[in-house]
Structures are given as C-alpha cells and as structure tokens.
Amino acid sequence: MQRPLKPLLVLILALLVGSQVSLAEPQPVPPEIQAVMAKPRYADATWSLLVIDVESGEEFYPLNEDKLSFTGSTRKLFSVGLALLSLGPDRRFVTRVHRRGEIDKNGTLNGDLILVAAGDLVFGGRRIDDDTVEVTDLDHNDANNLGTAVLPPQDPLYALNQLAEKVKASGVTRVSDEVVIDSRLFESYRVPNQNLLITPMMLNENQIDITILPTEPGQPAQLTYRPKTEFFEVKNQVVTGDSGTEETVQFSGDRLTSGVDGTGIVSGSLPSDYTAALNGQQSYVGTFRVEDPDAFARTAFIEALQRAGVKVDSASPAANPADLLPEEITAETEIARYTSAPYDQVAKLVLKVSLNLGANLSLSLFGLEKGERTVEGALAAEKRVLSQEYGIDPSLFNFPTNGSGSPDSQAAPRALAQWLTIVRKEEVGSTFQQALPILGVDGSLSGTGKELPGKGRIFAKTGTTVGPGADGKPHLIAQCLAGYIETRGGRRVAYALMVNDAGPLKQIVDVTEVFEDQAVISNAIFEAL
C-alpha cells in the first residue's frame, strides 16, 4: 500500500524544492545599505525598504516594510498608473469648438463660440509631432522652487492657433456674441500641494514663463515672457548687478496672476555672471501661476481668432461668461477640433519631472472613467479599485486629498512595491517603466548617480516632502525612491525606498545629498541581485 505513495511524495518534494524561493525567509538588509542609513545625517530619521522580484515574487531586504510613511511624489505612481491602465496608453483628448447659432452668408456667426475643454494637460505646448511631446529635465512647473528651468521650444499657443484657423476654414469670419470656455468636464478643485487649482482647461499648464538674462552692471536685465496675451502683462524692473553679487529677483503677488487684466512686476537684481545652481544655465527662469485658467484661455483664444482673420465682437480680456453655456452641446454644432498626443506622453511627462498638476489631472481622468466628476469621488474610486480589484491592503496606503503626494499622502513600501509589480505585468508595464526617471540619464534623476554602475538600469520615481519641523524651520519630511531595477544578475525587481524625518534643510544640497545616498542604496540592490 505504500508503493503508490512514492510518486506523490516525490511530486510534493519537487514542488517544495521548486518553490523554495517563495518559501525562503527574506534576506536581511546588506551591510553596505545599512552603512548609508546609519550616517549621522539620519540619526533621527526612519528608513523603510522592500524589494520584490517582479517575476517570482521573492522579497528582499524588508525594513519597516508595512509601516506607513509619507510618500512625497512617489504617490504619483498610483494616480498615473491607474490612469494608464484605465485610459490606455493610446487615449487622446479632443478639444472641440462648437457654434451656438447660425452662420450667415457673410460668415457671421450670430451667436456664441464655445471651446469645450477636454482635460488636455499639454494642449499644444511641448508638441513635437502628433505622437510626441517634449520633456525637459528641469521643468517650468518647478522653476520657482529650483531657481531655474529648461523651457521647451514649442509655442504654448499652438493648439489655440490651430483651432482658430479651423474656425476660419469652417466659414466663420465674425463672432457676433460671446466666446465661452466650457470647463464642465469635471468639477475644478484645489489640492494642498502648492494650493494648485486643477481644471479641465489648461494653457501652458496654467503658467506664464519668465526668462531673464543679465546685461551690463547697472543696466536693466533683459526680460521676456510667454505666452503674451492681454490677460496678464509682465513689467520688468530687474537690474543687472555686479559680478559676484547676490541674485535677488522677486515676483509680485506671490507669483500669482491677478484678475483678468492684471499686471505682474518682476524686480530685484541679477548678477552679470549669473549661473543657475542646478544646471549652470546663464538665464533665470521663473513663472507666474494663472489663477483664472478659463479667462486666460478665453483671452488667448480670442486673440488667436483675430490673428486668423476672425473678428470677435465680445470684450476681451474679460471674465469667462460660463453662465451662457447651454445645458447640452450636441455633435452637430462642432466646427473645429484639436486632438492631443496619446496619454502615454502625458504619463511620461508627469513621472519624469514630477508634475503635480498632471498627476492630479490624471486622478480626475481616472475618476471620469469610473463615473466620478469630483476629486472626492475619484479618490474613493481609486481606493476601491486598488484594494478590491488589485488586492492591495487598504491599511497600507492613505491618500486623503490629492493625486500628487505632498503633504499628506502615505504608503508602506509593501503597497508601493506590490503596485509596481502589478503594473509591470500588465500590457502597459514597459511603457510605465520607461516613463519613470532613469538614474543618471533623465528626468528628476538626470543629475543623480551619474558615476554609479547602475546608471541607466534604475528606473525610479522620486518623492520629496518639505515642511516645518518642531523648530518651525524647513525640514525634509520625506525623501523617497520607488520603481524598478534591472539588476546585474538579470532580475527585474520593484522596490520602494523611503526615509522620513531626515532633518533640517538649509540649502538645496541638503536634498541632493539624500538623493545621492538613495542612489547608492539603489545601486547596491542593482549589484547584489
């Protein structure tokens, strides 16, 4: 009676041997990683880490792996990842122009012209071709924090100019009534991160870019800005200072636009030998943030129409007359449309440069796919999908207010690493991985780890949260890396590396040093596995 059991025992033994990877105890954190974490800088900090082999599920180096930590912008891995999965990488956004009224034989539209916002983040700016958008390593959305930016060369008014030409081609030569922006795609909202206003209508990502070049000491500096519209004028009061003097450039109004016919003043001094600290660029770049995106876009659209030869009778600049919008807009009244690049380009832009505006827009677009038009509804849908459809323990993440991260988003390394593993196994997995910053190559990791062996093999989203410490001064609340490593040993692993409460910040090098330490840890994982 025992002989028939032998094949079964052999089979069980074979299965156990074959599955020993998943049954093995996770390996402890290697000494070389512990040495970085034990630096005096991190005496009061809390580190956490988890590495998961994407194919086998084997776990490595668990450290506080189930402890909630502040995520910073690694939270974007969820908002963008879910949008990529739900929308698909090829989804395009169509901004349409409709007429409300009839066009007479002279080309006069006896009624309103309505531009219907489609949630297009880029909306013509950065457009290289129909399928590609420009991504620069130092983005203008962070110019005010970083003290510099590399502006993409494309015209931010490109989409509006295209639409205006198409309106003219439809036979319209004059608009007798109003031009209106329809932003009812979802309910606009603000997030705590930079108090950003998230709206379906975005032009130049709701920024006005300022570039300043020094001239001769004692002379006015050279200032240019874009896009130029009657919505907001920028006045230059910057003087070129002597070589070696301090840069003291200031923007009026807390760097926010004012009203619908506002003026911003840029003042202070820019030394004649000015170079930006992060990239050595010899121009100063900063931005004013647009606080009334619909009025901004309306003004710019009217001006584009006029350039195209369409006369517009309504007043501009002026508030957007949204109260004139009809309850429903039908396809029969469409006279022009502009189609965006595919969503995978948006995902790349958001993740490479950590674009808060785009991460929150991605959350809203995901919400729309689930029938939700409010940020609260989108957040609830996100939590439900992550936990119920993808099996991530809801106690391991908490995203209460926004899709971009700071100041309140939390997650455990296990939630991040599990989510990265899940997405990498989907059809969009390769697209998602390539959209992440690459160590020593591009995005927010372009200047980090350039001499490490793992350069080009580590794909990871950065996440920084800065806030007041107990002393009331700026502290590094969180600095995180999460993504993929294609290891020297041929594995593809997902990992989350987080440090919270990393101490006071006195200068930008206090952040870049942590970046480099986390790059060294990531490289140690690359070498060991």
Side-chain angles (χ1 to χ4, degrees):
M1 295 294 293
Q2 293 182 358
R3 290 182 62 85
L5 291 177
K6 187 174 181 180
L8 179 60
L9 292 173
V10 171
L11 176 60
I12 292 173
L13 180 60
L15 289 171
L16 287 172
V17 171
S19 62
Q20 62 182 336
V21 167
S22 61
L23 294 176
E25 287 294 321
Q27 299 179 25
V29 178
E32 57 269 32
I33 293 178
Q34 293 184 34
V36 177
M37 295 177 173
K39 285 185 174 183
R41 164 68 189 269
Y42 307 113
D44 298 319
T46 300
W47 285 91
S48 52
L49 171 65
L50 185 64
V51 182
I52 300 178
D53 187 297
V54 171
E55 296 303 319
S56 71
E58 184 179 2
E59 296 184 3
F60 301 91
Y61 315 145
L63 176 65
N64 295 319
E65 70 275 17
D66 294 322
K67 179 182 175 62
L68 285 176
S69 297
F70 287 106
T71 64
S73 287
T74 57
R75 190 271 187 259
K76 294 179 174 72
L77 294 167
F78 293 93
S79 55
V80 175
L82 273 175
L84 197 58
L85 287 167
S86 60
L87 299 171
D90 298 324
R91 173 72 68 87
R92 297 175 189 262
F93 307 97
V94 181
T95 302
R96 294 176 168 86
V97 178
H98 291 258
R99 59 174 176 81
R100 189 184 185 194
E102 299 300 324
I103 305 171
D104 67 21
K105 62 181 181 180
N106 296 317
T108 297
L109 170 59
N110 293 296
D112 302 325
L113 195 66
I114 301 171
L115 187 153
V116 182
D120 183 352
L121 173 66
V122 176
F123 192 50
R126 307 176 184 264
R127 189 74 173 257
I128 295 174
D129 55 40
D130 287 350
D131 301 318
T132 318
V133 302
E134 188 87 46
V135 180
T136 60
D137 291 336
L138 293 172
D139 190 71
H140 72 154
N141 285 276
D142 284 322
N144 297 337
N145 295 327
L146 301 177
T148 189
V150 178
L151 299 179
Q154 292 82 13
D155 182 2
L157 296 176
Y158 175 79
L160 288 179
N161 289 333
Q162 292 289 303
L163 285 170
E165 292 287 349
K166 291 177 181 179
V167 169
K168 177 68 181 296
S170 75
V172 175
T173 58
R174 177 186 168 207
V175 179
S176 68
D177 291 347
E178 278 289 354
V179 173
V180 192
I181 305 297
D182 184 348
S183 283
R184 296 177 294 183
L185 181 67
F186 59 81
E187 292 186 16
S188 299
Y189 58 97
R190 287 190 184 274
V191 295
N193 194 338
Q194 301 174 314
N195 198 32
L196 280 176
L197 177 63
I198 313 301
T199 64
M201 182 71 249
M202 294 187 188
L203 176 62
N204 199 37
E205 294 130 50
N206 296 339
Q207 304 279 342
I208 295 174
D209 302 319
I210 313 298
T211 301
I212 309 170
L213 284 167
T215 56
E216 296 297 322
Q219 297 299 310
Q222 178 184 324
L223 184 149
T224 58
Y225 67 96
R226 69 174 200 184
K228 284 190 175 181
T229 71
E230 291 185 8
F231 173 81
F232 193 74
E233 180 185 5
V234 179
K235 293 188 176 180
N236 178 25
Q237 295 181 4
V238 181
V239 176
T240 303
D242 290 334
S243 174
T245 57
E246 184 181 359
E247 174 266 300
T248 61
V249 174
Q250 295 182 328
F251 285 47
S252 63
D254 293 327
R255 297 179 179 259
L256 305 176
T257 61
S258 54
V260 296
D261 186 11
T263 300
I265 298 173
V266 185
S267 59
S269 176
L270 191 69
S272 59
D273 60 346
Y274 174 80
T275 55
L278 285 180
N279 63 351
Q281 187 170 273
Q282 294 182 317
S283 60
Y284 177 99
V285 179
T287 67
F288 282 98
R289 194 173 77 208
V290 174
E291 287 292 280
D292 191 342
D294 290 350
F296 179 42
R298 176 185 180 273
T299 301
F301 188 35
I302 288 173
E303 293 172 359
L305 289 165
Q306 292 168 340
R307 288 193 295 272
V310 178
K311 182 180 179 183
V312 179
D313 292 354
S314 59
S316 178
N320 182 52
D323 58 319
L324 297 179
L325 289 170
E327 186 172 332
E328 184 180 3
I329 296 177
T330 60
E332 292 77 16
T333 60
E334 180 184 319
I335 59 173
R337 63 169 56 187
Y338 175 84
T339 303
S340 75
Y343 179 75
D344 63 0
Q345 295 295 294
V346 174
K348 180 179 73 173
L349 171 62
V350 173
L351 295 175
K352 290 288 187 187
V353 305
S354 202
L355 182 52
N356 293 330
L357 195 71
N360 287 293
L361 179 62
S362 294
L363 172 66
S364 293
L365 294 172
F366 160 77
L368 289 172
E369 292 294 299
K370 302 301 179 182
E372 302 289 349
R373 294 187 60 255
T374 68
V375 64
E376 295 82 8
L379 286 164
E382 179 186 51
K383 182 176 183 179
R384 183 175 63 251
V385 169
L386 287 173
S387 59
Q388 295 180 10
E389 295 186 23
Y390 291 106
I392 298 177
D393 186 340
S395 71
L396 297 180
F397 65 93
N398 180 35
F399 306 142
T401 62
N402 68 87
S404 50
S406 299
D408 52 14
S409 295
Q410 294 179 292
R414 184 176 301 281
L416 280 158
Q418 283 181 341
W419 175 239
L420 286 160
T421 300
I422 289 167
V423 179
R424 192 59 183 81
K425 291 181 176 180
E426 299 283 345
E427 287 187 15
V428 300
S430 178
T431 298
F432 189 59
Q433 177 174 324
Q434 292 297 323
L436 296 174
I438 304 173
L439 186 72
V441 177
D442 65 16
S444 55
L445 290 177
S446 61
T448 303
K450 296 180 76 70
E451 305 302 321
L452 293 173
K455 174 186 174 182
R457 304 285 294 277
I458 296 169
F459 308 75
K461 180 73 197 72
T462 55
T464 306
T465 299
V466 175
D471 57 4
K473 297 179 180 179
H475 278 239
L476 186 57
I477 305 300
Q479 182 60 58
C480 309
L481 269 184
Y484 305 101
I485 301 174
E486 295 180 348
T487 72
R488 188 180 292 282
R491 295 177 185 264
R492 176 179 289 117
V493 299
Y495 80 116
L497 172 65
M498 315 173 84
V499 60
N500 279 200
D501 303 316
L505 294 177
K506 296 181 180 178
Q507 52 190 345
I508 196 166
V509 70
D510 293 330
V511 176
T512 57
E513 285 178 352
V514 182
F515 265 53
E516 289 293 343
D517 283 343
Q518 292 190 327
V520 169
I521 292 173
S522 301
N523 186 73
I525 297 169
F526 162 78
E527 298 275 18
L529 299 178

